[in-house]
Amino acid sequence: STWGLGAGLKLARDRGLPMVSVIHFNNCFNMSVELLHTVAPYADYAAGYNNYSFFTSGAAYPAVFQKLQGLGSASAQELAQWFSDENHAGLAAKGNHPTVGGVVHLARMEGIATGIDSLSDALLDAMRSASPADRPAVLDMIQKAIEMAQQYDSEPGWQLETPDQLTDICSFAAALGTVASGFPAVQSAAWTLVKLLDGI
């Protein structure tokens, strides 16, 4: 479990082991805030996949470690990027394996989590403070932002649509920044989160 992985890494650190330089989450749907936030205090960088990883297992690892051996050293960021790039190369060679991968410096996760909390608070406040007559408009605004946002396929078939359970948080925040006119706290929190997520 996500909690179990974080707890295991914490135990290792508590026992004096060094921080992990790179975690490569080589399975589906793991480039999520929930997972990354849980392990962030115990590792430097993470590479992972927002949607499918297509059971590549460790197929990319030999190329990564050969590159590392050939160069002699690499930064944690470079190594994380190599894991993502080599996984991509293997899937690209197969064709028809649409995967979204990413690399994040885990030190950023605390600010990102705070930004998500602030946006959540602003959305809850907008719903709670709306009159009964105005509340449907607030819910419609949130629904519209979800529909505008990038979805990650999680349902049978290849169509990307709002029935898919995973919505990209950055594009959702950007959509809220656009459609939440009349809700300055929501717009401000949304654009702040977009900035916090820049470059991942």
Side-chain angles (χ1 to χ4, degrees):
S1 69
T2 298
W3 180 90
L5 180 59
L9 290 169
K10 182 182 185 309
L11 281 172
R13 292 289 290 147
D14 289 347
R15 292 178 181 177
L17 294 174
M19 181 177 280
V20 174
S21 294
V22 176
I23 302 175
H24 181 215
F25 290 111
N26 194 15
N27 56 328
C28 304
F29 305 114
N30 54 41
M31 194 65 169
S32 68
V33 171
E34 295 87 351
L35 174 60
L36 298 174
H37 180 260
T38 302
V39 302
Y42 315 115
D44 198 13
Y45 275 83
Y49 305 93
N50 305 47
N51 58 341
Y52 305 115
S53 189
F54 293 102
F55 309 106
T56 52
S57 188
Y61 293 3
V64 171
F65 292 124
Q66 286 168 5
K67 187 171 189 174
L68 179 59
Q69 183 181 31
L71 293 174
S73 66
S75 69
Q77 182 178 4
E78 288 169 328
L79 187 60
Q81 189 66 51
W82 294 348
F83 279 117
S84 185
D85 290 345
E86 291 299 336
N87 198 60
H88 170 261
L91 292 173
K94 292 180 182 184
N96 298 316
H97 287 75
T99 295
V100 177
V103 170
V104 61
H105 187 202
L106 290 170
R108 296 178 62 184
M109 289 310 301
E110 185 175 356
I112 290 167
T114 299
I116 290 172
D117 285 345
S118 296
L119 180 56
S120 298
D121 289 344
L123 288 169
L124 287 169
D125 186 58
M127 288 187 286
R128 290 174 179 151
S129 64
S131 69
D134 292 337
R135 194 165 190 269
V138 177
L139 297 178
D140 287 345
M141 176 265 295
I142 296 169
Q143 179 66 32
K144 184 175 181 181
I146 293 169
E147 291 172 1
M148 290 170 62
Q150 171 68 51
Q151 306 298 314
Y152 296 113
D153 193 30
S154 59
E155 295 285 321
W158 295 105
Q159 189 171 6
L160 296 177
E161 56 189 353
T162 47
D164 287 308
Q165 291 101 337
L166 299 176
T167 299
D168 181 77
I169 193 67
C170 188
S171 64
F172 174 62
L176 278 172
T178 301
V179 301
S181 56
F183 301 93
V186 171
Q187 284 187 309
S188 175
W191 289 123
T192 296
L193 182 56
V194 168
K195 290 176 187 172
L196 286 166
L197 292 163
D198 183 56
I200 295 175

